Each structure stands twice: as structure tokens, then as C-alpha cells.
Amino acid sequence: MILAWILGILMFSGLISWIVGRFNKEAPRWIALAALLANSVLLIVIWIKSMALADLNLNNQWFLEFDREWIPFFGIRFHLAMDGLSLLLLLLTNLLGILSVLISWKEIEHRTGFFHFNILFILAGISGVFLAEDLFLFYFFWEVMLIPMYFLIAIWGHENRVYASYKFFLFTQGGGLLMLLSILGLYFHNAGITGVYTFDIVELVKHSSTSSLAGLFMAGFLIAFGVKIPAIPLHSWLPDAHTEAPTAGSIILAGLLLKTGIYGLIRIVIPLFPDLSLSIAPFAMAIGVAGVLYGAKLAFAQTDLKRLVAYTSISHMGFIIIGIYAFNSIAFRGAVMQIIAHALSTGALFVIAGIVQDRLHTRELKNIGGLWDDMPGLGGFSFVFVMASLGLPSLANFVAEFMILLGTFLSNPLWAILASLGLIVSVIYSLRIMQKVFFGPKLSSYKTHDINLREVVILSALLIPVVYFGIFPRPVFRTLATPVNSGIFLENDRVNSDNSSQNKSYIMKSVNEPLPSLKTKVELNVLPTIGKEDKNEQN
Amino acid sequence: MINIPMEHALIVAILLFIIGLAGALMRRNLVYILLSVEIMLNAAGFAFVVAGARWMQPDGQVMFIFILTMAAAEVSVGLALILRIYHNLKTMDADDVSKIKPN
Amino acid sequence: MQNLLWTIPFLPLAGFLILSIGSKWLSPKASSTIGVSTVAISTLVSILVAIEFISGIGTSHIFKQELGTWIDVPGFSSNFGFYLDSLSMVFVFIVSFVGFLIHLYSAFFMKDDEGIVRYFAWMNLFMASMLILVMADNLLMLYLGWEGVGLCSYLLIGYWYKDPKNGYAGRKAFIVTRIGDTAMAIGLFFLFRSFGTLNINEILHYVSLEWISGSPDAKIAALLLLGGAVGKSAQLPLQTWLPDAMAGPSPVSALIHAATMVTAGVYLIARTNLIFSMAPNVMLLVAAFGAIILVLAGFSALVQSDIKRVLAYSTISQIGYMFLALGVGAWSAGIFHFFVHAFFKALLFLAAGVVIIRLKEEHDMFKMGGLRKKMPLVFYTFIAGAASLSALPLVTAGFFSKDKILMDAFLSPDSGIVLWIAGLVGAGLTALYTTRMIILTFFGDMKIEPEKISSKALNIPLVILAVLSIVAGYIEMAPLHLFSKFMAFSLPELNQPEGAALGFILPVISGLVVFTGIFLAWYFYQKRPEVTYNIKKSAIGSFLYNLWFNGWAFDEFYDKVFVQPYIFLARINKNDFIDLFYTEISNLMIRLNDWALLTQTGRLRWYLALITVGVIFGITIIIFL
């Protein structure tokens, strides 16, 4: 029931904001803030409870579930479920939601009711995506994310907003339609075999790989998620959308929307098509590496501050793709950490870009410079986030990137080495940000004042986790592993009992085991274990 | 009654229709286009009557009355429109009328 | 005392936090007080630890402290832990003690600078990172310190940020060292893949058990670690950043780019010596790199006019000596040279700093001159440092350390003679350029009148370092060999054939070379400077001059081959050619739309005609299909 509340609070407050917005301009902000805070309280309570559950060692995959009939004629159920990964992502959603409401406090002046309606519905859509266990429901929330975002960019964006919002909409919708085709394909295929019409993921997993069209189905999903992640070459929409969106929109886009693509990969594509996923892994890693390097190169070339930060998103997400398709538990954990670290640090960079734009009325780097004089506080914060962007140890991004590269190296040294080049190119663009914005001579004629309390609070709320998880990443990893959640990949006891388990043995039963397939598919000297005794066992 | 083969009558109907169609396509004056449309309608009605005579059913004649009714309605509306066009644009040339399209 | 190990790096770290968070509210005096005192207390603790360590060296030669877990996931875990043996003890002592002296110096040197809070914050952060680096018990934590010092180096080089050139120098440093760091990171992955752990002792243990000498695994690991070392230590082929790093304030150059950060590579190789020992080819490479760069940098130092750049190239050269020592297996000799080098190089930089500020920011030696009368203290301490650098026989510490290296190189089995000759040539060059530096700066006609700036804070460090530059070598003198005995607790001994006879000949030869160098410098710069001028003007002379001045064209090469192409590629693709694909699709749609629009003519008869055609078409299809 709580899960439904989480979504319900967001949607309901969205509607209220819109209505109230007609009478009072400031009220929607408070309503939105209140709703998000209420949600956060709920989630924190769940989090604390889940930590306790972790010690009980239950054998459930989900620790919260909500399952109701919705449209029985088509076999659609309103099935929400939460495990460690969803919990982490929902916490992130709420945090970034609160921060985006706070950052728009002064930035958005007209039609605030509708603005907050859009924000809350986007967040509701995202939360729904992270919770949905029924493919139709998943698709429903996928579309719910899309339309309000379009409005957000089109109405409150910057100069080129119409172009950017159209582009964003067409790309995402195009991908989404292909995904719909795949979903329907799976639906009918499953019905053909079992005679039951259902959209439930758990059910579909049983027969998903047996279809002759499985490759096409997976392609549909991959394109939809690939657009979102974004994976080269489907990334074109991102720079425009991120640049032209208002700051709150950019934070939500970079911090959350991109992650829904990754989540889709983890939750849907890999469990539904394990064999195929394994076989395309090298190709996927190549795309990831291309994203890392190409994104970095493009970031370096930009003269618009926000566009630069937008391209860095492509670069960081490339790491996540690599981390997931390495099929290695260390890399996977690194990928999840990168999700969080990237959301926080890139979100912060967008906040900073927004602050700069707000003060200097420009995003062009050639008109900005020497801001450290007037804004040392902002400089200090930016410095930390820029360092996070380039992967400085003691910050969360380093833990993430290191683990991804380490894990990938264990199974695919070549790709890991290529991806490590990303460490070098990330320095080039990150330092460009610092140099052009804060150092050097002052190029703008505007007099600015340093950041005020509200901005300090926002930036600190982002800085503290980045630094904290850099030194103590344990909370993240511990949440991920609750409750013994056989976790990220669907563990399907039912699957194992139906089909011969050797076919499904490469589905990771739990994040705690390295992928057994590594033994056979990839020649390794040593598996990632500690100590010599283990090595003897496996050899 | 002399037995006229149905095909002959239908050919007459077709010829009438073609005359009407040609007129509609080739005349520029709106009234003449309306006239030609009338001819086409009559041709269609004639085809129906022929068919009714062939099958010895009154339905053919019934359809003709329908068509006549509809033609009357359509002509009144059409003439009203032509009057309005003439009043506004002082022309009854079909091509000139299309120039009211905003560019 | 072991339990206080954590305070050594954490005191400066606390200083960094206080100074950065409270920067708005701290006065310059307060910030320098905080900045210096954290390092002072840290130094005190490290001295106390050192005393306890040395006195108990017979029984236990390792101090440890576990702080907690950093990352702990199934398959990979890494902790925060400190490990202190004699190797790290030496580094801890040097870093904190020399660091303290430099902080003290900076309190006066930077007192009028408006960004002094920033300065001390970053200097403290640097101290913390460097200390973490040398005390880390696992490679991941070492990497943490490694990157931390790189970061502080970038920040402090670009300290005077108003001038974009400084920022550029800082970026260059960061990027070039990052290339090395990435190689090292890959080395870390490789070691983890081989052994499942990043703990240094465990790794070395497994190495001794599993790898045999000459195995390809050892070669790969050693090469990758070497990559990291050459980046941080400004050695071949990544040495280009150090001369430009002189854009930072002189105390920064003294601390980071002379005494401590650039020696991190030396530390790394010494710490993982077992891996290198397993890869003799790589060791030879290390020695070769060291030998080559020490000569190349020596030539470059000879023609510089900026006094700090001379010292920068000199640092590259001296670290080349350390690499040379490590490469032939003379581990403790290399560390001993580091030990002594920290003193005299820091001294030289600090003294040069005094010269520079007293001459109103003049760096060009050719505009200096005759300063020895007006700045006696600086002059004498500078002489002490320079003498040690040139390894003046018997009286200076530099002599003991450099000659030990030369001896060990000579006796080394693979091409030892070649290495020895290179070292000898380097020694001659060192004497040459050092004396040149002294003559140009302190002798001759005074061209600029120095201002009266003097302070105990400036002078005390100079004097202390000068004294140390002279006497520090005596602890290694035969038959004491205190230093080597100390290092023997953590580093393997070099098995050298006893060359008793050589024990006299080699130092004599090097002494002669040193004196020759001094003489030549005197001749060409004091006695007959016009000869030098003519040589410089000649065809060969100017070619060599330009070549050496620009660091043997490495910079130019990298610029043409890597930097410019990258910038070019970035610039032409600023709008992302992949985007073109999608814009073309939308353009195509627009064009199709334009064509489709053609049917909407607005002409009545046209529509009629179309309807007719359509109906005929439809009827045909229905009839025939």
C-alpha cells in the first residue's frame, strides 16, 4: 500500500498545485515541497526498516509489493514492487525532486502551478518506472515521464526551447513506440505458448527467450533505453534538451531520466533476454567506451557551459553501460554507485550553471571568467563537483568508476583499458570548466554576489553525499543488497524450476556471486576472490 | 414496348456522366460547374432507373426521387454560396475564387 | 605511539577543512597560524614516532594502524590503514619536516597575498595527501594520496589564477600526470586480477610466491607502475610539465616540485621493489630512463635564464639519478639521494624565492648580478645548497649520496659502465649549471637593487636546510652507514662485488669532474663571457641553445602530435556529426512535406480532377483485385 501512496501523493499534489496555482503564485512551491518531504519521510522509514530486514535473511526478492488487478481483460495488473535498487533510486528521486523545487524558487515566475504539476508528475512517472513490475504499467509510466518533461522544456526553457523539446519528445517517443512493439510481441508470444495473456514481467521471463523474434524484441527495448541512457549514437537529443531546459528540468533530466534507461536494462532487458544480453555484451561495452571517449571530446569542444556539462553526462553514463555489461558483481556495484554519484555531481554542476546564468545572464564561456573573485563560495563548491566529475579519489564518483573499471578488467581487460582513457579525457574537460568560469580574467561586466543561503543549502545537500559516499560507500552497497535481494537481476525460483537450471545459471542469483559464466565464456586466470584458498577451489 | 438492352441505356447514362464531368472540369464559370454537377447527378439517377426497370423493382424510381431531392437541396446551397461569392469577389470564375487562399 | 599515526596526515587535513570552510571569516594572520601549526604539530608527532620507531628498530620494524573499511563488497575490499616501515619513516620525516620549514617560510613569503587562506588550505591538503600516500598500506589508499597531491599541485601552480598562463601550466601538470596515473590505475587492476587484493604486503607476498623473475606478468605490472611513477616524478617521457609548473609561488615549487610530490614515483618504485626485481628488463629501463633524462635535463638547465627553471630542470635531473639508482637495484642509495636532495633542493628554491621577491619579481638571471654583498645570508646558504647539488667532494651531503649511486651504477652488471658515464656527465653538467647560476645571480655587476626584505621566518628555514645539506650526508659515511642500515629493514640490499680499490678511484674521478664543471662555469661566465656569447650566436650554438632551452623539443612534439590534433578534432566536431544524421532525417521530412503541400492548390477544378482520378483508381482496384 505504501508504494501506491508514494505515487499517489505525487500525482495528487501535482493536481492540487495546478489548481491552486491559479489563485496563488507561491503556494504550489510549498505544496510540492511538502509532498516531496512527505514522500521522503516514507522512504526513509522504509529504508530503516529494510536495513533491519537485511539481517533476517528472508528469501524474498522484493521487500514491498503492491499487486492489484487493473485491466483483467488484457491481463494487465497494477503491480508495483520494491527492492534495494528501487529503494536507492527512489531516495535519489526524492532528493533531486526537493532540490529542483528549491532551485526553481526564484527562477520560475510564471505559471508556477502548472510548472509544479509537471515536476510532480515527472517524478511520479519516474517513481512508477522504478517500481513497476508489469510491462504495460512500466510503459504507462514511461509515457507519463515524457509529456510533462516536454512541457517543462517548451514553456520554461531557454532560447532554443521549442527545438529542444520537440527533439527530446520525438527521440524518446520513437524509442518508446519500438518498446511498445516489443512489449506487445512478448505479450502475444507468451500467450501463444502458455495461453495466458499477461504483461507481468515475472511471468514473461519464463518464455521470453524462446521466441524466434527474441532478438528483435530485445532490440526494441534496447533502442528505447538506449535513447534514454543515452547510448551513442542515440544521444543527439541530450545536449539540446539539457541546455534549453530550466535548471530544475536539467537536474531531473540528468539525474533521474537518464537513469530510467539504465534501470530498464537491469530490470527488464537482462532478465528477459539473458543469453542475448551476454552475447551482445562486447558490442554494448564498445558503445559504452565510445560514449565515454566521444562524450568527453565533445564536452571539451563546447563553448556553452550547460552544453558542456550535458556532454559530460554522456561520458559518465558510458561508464555505467560498461559496468553493467561486464556482468561482474564488482562492476555492477560500481555502476549503481555511479548512478548515484553522477546524479548528484552532475545535478550540482547544472545548479551551478544555473546560478551562473542567473547572475551573468549568459552561458557562453567566452563571456564568463574570473568568478572566483566575487564568488569564492560558489567556486569552492564547483571545485568539489568538478573534481568529482574527473574522478578524484575520496569522492563518490571515484569509487564508482574504479569499481567499474576494476570489475570490467577482470572479465574484459581490453575494454577496461580503453575505458580508462576516459580518466584522462575527463580531466581535460573538467579543468576547462574551472578555468573558464572561475579562473582567468573577468570577462563579464555584471557585478555578482556570492551564493545565498538557499543555494548553499542546495549545493551542500548534493556535496555531502558525494563526499560521504566517497569515503564510506557502505550504506549504498548495503541497501543494494537488501533483503538478500537476490537482487538486481530477477531471481526466478520459478524459472529455475521450470527450465533446466543450467540454461539459467548465468542469471545472477545474487549480487553476491560473481558470474559463473565467466568461467566458461571468458578465460580468466583468477576470479575476483580474496585469498589463495578460494582460488584453489575454483581452479 | 420495344426491348432496349440494358447496356445501351447504361451507355447513355455513362455518356451523360462524362458530359457532366467534362463540363465540371472544363468550365470556369461557377454556375456552369453547378449545371454540370446537375447533369452528373441526373446521369446517376438515370442509371438507377434503368437498373430498376431491369429488375422490375420500384427501388430504382425511389432512388431517383432521392437523388432529385438531394440535388435540389444541394443546388440551393450552391446557388446561395455563388451569390455570396459574387457579392464579395465580383467574380464567378472558379480559378479566381481559389485566390482567396492566404499565402 | 603507533596509535597516533593517524594524526600525522589528519592534522593537516583538519587544517584544510577549517581553512576552506571558514575562509570568509579568517584573517591572514589566523590562516597562516592555522596553516603552519597543523603542520608543526604533525611534524612533532612524526618526530616522536620516529624516535620510538628507531629505538625499537631491532624488535619491531613496522608500525601499523588500521582505521577502518573503505570499500567492502563481495569480491573486493579495501581499507584505510597505515603501514610504517623504515622506507615510509624516511619519507614521513622529510615530508613533514621540510614541509614545516616551507610552511614557516610561506607565512612570511605570502603574507601580503590576498588569497593566503586559499594558499594554506591547499598546502595543508597537500601535506595530508602526501602523508597518506607514503603511509598507505594498500595501493588504493596510495592512489588516493597520489591523486590528492596531483590535485594540490594543479591548484597551487595556478594559484595566481588571474593570469591564464598559470592556469594553463596547472592544467598541463594535471593532464600529463593523469596519463601516468591512468597507467598506474591499470597496473592496480592488473595486480588485483592476479592476486585478488590491493594490500601492498599481501601483493608482495604473492609476488614472491608466484612470480618468477622475468615473467611477463611481472613485466606488465612493473611497466604500468613505472608509467605512474614517471608521470608524477616528471621523468621520461612525461617530464614536460615540471618546468612550466614554476608558475606557482616559490615555496610551492620548493615543497611540491622539489622535495616531495615529484619523489612520489621514487617511493612507489621503492615500495613495490619486489615486482620490479622480478622484471629485470624493466629495471634496466628504469635505469636507462634515469640516465638519459639526467643528461638531457642537465643540458636544458644549462641554458635557462629563469632561475626557477634551472632548478626545475635540475630537479628532473636529480630524480633521474634516483631512478638510475633504483634501476640498478641500489634501493637505499636512491632513497638516500632523495633524503639529501629534499634538503638542498628545497633550500635552493626557497633562496631563489627570496632573491625573486627582493628583486621585485625578477626571474631572469641575466638581469640579476652582484647580489652577494647585499644578501649575504641568502648567498651563503645558496652556496651550501649548490655545493651539495654539485656533490662537492667530502664536505657536502650531496657528494655522499650521488657518489654512492655512481659507484653502484658502475658495479652494476648490465651496462653499468654506460650508466656510470652518463651519471658522470650529469654530475659535470650539474656543477656547470649550478656554478653558472651562482655567478649570474650573485657575482658580476648589480643590475637591480634588492629591496630590504628580511625576516626570521625566511631565514631560519634557509639556515637549517643549509646546515642539513652539508652534514646530512655524514650519517652514511663509512664505516657508519647508518642510513643503509636503517633502510635495510625495509629494502633489499644490493649485492655488489666489493670494489675496495674502486672505493677511492671513482669518487676521485667524480670529484675531478665536479671541479672541472665549476672551472668551466667560471671560465665561460665570469672570466670570458663574450666567448659564451659568441658560441651562442653561432649556427650550431643557437641550434643547440634552442633545442636545450625547449627541453629537447618534447613539448613541441607532444603539442603537435597530441594536443593540437585533439583540439582540432574537438573544434570541427563541436556540433557532433551524429546529430547531422538526425537533422537530415527531419530535413527530409520537411522536404516531403513541401512536396505533399503541392497538392493543396486551393483550386476547385484541380480538386475535382483529383477526386475523379482517385475514384477511377479505386474502382479499378476493386474490379481487378
Side-chain angles (χ1 to χ4, degrees), chain C residues 381-580:
Chain C
T381 50
F382 199 92
I383 295 263
S388 203
L389 171 58
S390 321
L392 211 58
L394 287 178
V395 292
T396 59
F399 165 73
F400 289 101
S401 63
K402 197 179 280 188
D403 261 67
K404 183 132 190 346
I405 296 179
L406 288 176
M407 169 106 68
D408 288 334
F410 184 80
L411 293 173
S412 149
D414 327 279
S415 37
I417 312 272
V418 176
L419 296 172
W420 174 72
I421 294 183
L424 211 56
V425 169
L429 281 172
T430 311
L432 229 182
Y433 67 67
T434 315
T435 318
R436 166 182 181 261
M437 198 167 43
I438 296 181
I439 292 177
L440 286 175
T441 316
F442 293 103
F443 288 85
D445 307 317
M446 192 182 311
K447 300 187 188 73
I448 303 181
E449 179 83 24
E451 294 188 11
K452 287 232 169 285
I453 304 178
S454 182
S455 142
K456 274 215 264 299
L458 290 182
N459 296 336
I460 294 181
L462 289 177
V463 170
I464 296 183
L465 288 172
V467 169
L468 283 170
S469 305
I470 307 289
V471 307
Y474 292 128
I475 60 173
E476 183 63 8
M477 197 164 73
L480 286 175
H481 291 300
L482 279 176
F483 195 86
S484 327
K485 290 209 186 102
F486 186 61
M487 295 314 292
F489 285 101
S490 57
L491 295 173
E493 301 249 6
L494 181 62
N495 292 329
Q496 295 282 33
E498 267 308 310
L502 296 168
F504 288 111
I505 300 184
L506 288 180
V508 166
I509 298 182
S510 38
L512 280 174
V513 167
V514 170
F515 284 120
T516 315
I518 298 180
F519 172 74
L520 283 174
W522 170 77
Y523 184 77
F524 280 109
Y525 289 98
Q526 175 86 331
K527 189 110 166 54
R528 306 273 287 274
E530 62 279 4
V531 176
T532 325
Y533 186 71
N534 288 335
I535 297 179
K536 191 167 138 184
K537 280 288 178 199
S538 73
I540 296 191
S542 58
F543 169 72
L544 284 176
Y545 174 81
N546 282 323
L547 182 67
W548 296 344
F549 190 81
N550 290 319
W552 295 80
F554 270 93
D555 244 333
E556 232 179 283
F557 175 72
Y558 289 146
D559 192 50
K560 286 220 170 55
V561 172
F562 294 111
V563 179
Q564 294 304 334
Y566 187 74
I567 296 182
F568 174 71
L569 277 178
R571 209 161 275 163
I572 54 168
N573 195 28
K574 184 174 135 183
N575 289 320
D576 193 0
F577 72 96
I578 297 183
D579 204 24
L580 282 179

Side-chain angles (χ1 to χ4, degrees), chain C residues 213-236:
Chain C
S213 179
S215 80
D217 281 346
K219 263 194 228 168
I220 296 176
L223 273 174
L224 289 169
L225 289 174
L226 180 64
V230 300
K232 212 46 124 206
S233 295
Q235 294 294 290
L236 267 181

Side-chain angles (χ1 to χ4, degrees), chain A residues 273-291:
Chain A
F273 310 103
D275 284 312
L276 284 172
S277 295
L278 212 54
S279 55
I280 65 156
F283 184 61
M285 285 211 265
I287 291 185
V289 170

Side-chain angles (χ1 to χ4, degrees), chain C residues 365-385:
Chain C
M365 291 188 295
F366 287 99
K367 298 210 178 80
M368 305 178 187
L371 293 176
R372 73 182 190 281
K373 298 256 171 43
K374 294 280 182 164
M375 311 165 94
L377 184 93
V378 176
F379 174 61
Y380 286 115
T381 50
F382 199 92
I383 295 263

Side-chain angles (χ1 to χ4, degrees), chain A residues 455-506:
Chain A
E455 289 157 347
V456 169
V457 166
I458 297 174
L459 288 171
S460 309
L462 290 165
L463 184 138
I464 293 176
V466 167
V467 175
Y468 187 76
F469 291 140
I471 317 253
F472 304 111
R474 195 148 176 270
V476 171
F477 294 134
R478 194 146 169 254
T479 314
L480 187 59
T482 57
V484 266
N485 104 46
S486 352
I488 0 78
F489 293 88
L490 276 186
E491 160 182 64
N492 258 304
D493 289 336
R494 293 170 274 183
V495 177
N496 285 333
S497 62
D498 281 345
N499 305 326
S500 53
S501 32
Q502 77 205 62
N503 277 347
K504 305 292 178 192
S505 62
Y506 41 63

Side-chain angles (χ1 to χ4, degrees), chain A residues 41 72 92 108 114 143 147 152 156 190 232 235 257 290-291 303 402 406 413 417 430 435 512:
Chain A
V41 167
L92 186 66
I108 305 291
F114 189 47
E143 296 297 312
I147 315 257
L152 209 61
W156 294 276
N190 191 55
I232 309 271
H235 63 281
L257 244 57
T303 52
F402 190 83
L406 185 65
I417 294 180
S430 300
Q435 180 70 26
N512 298 314

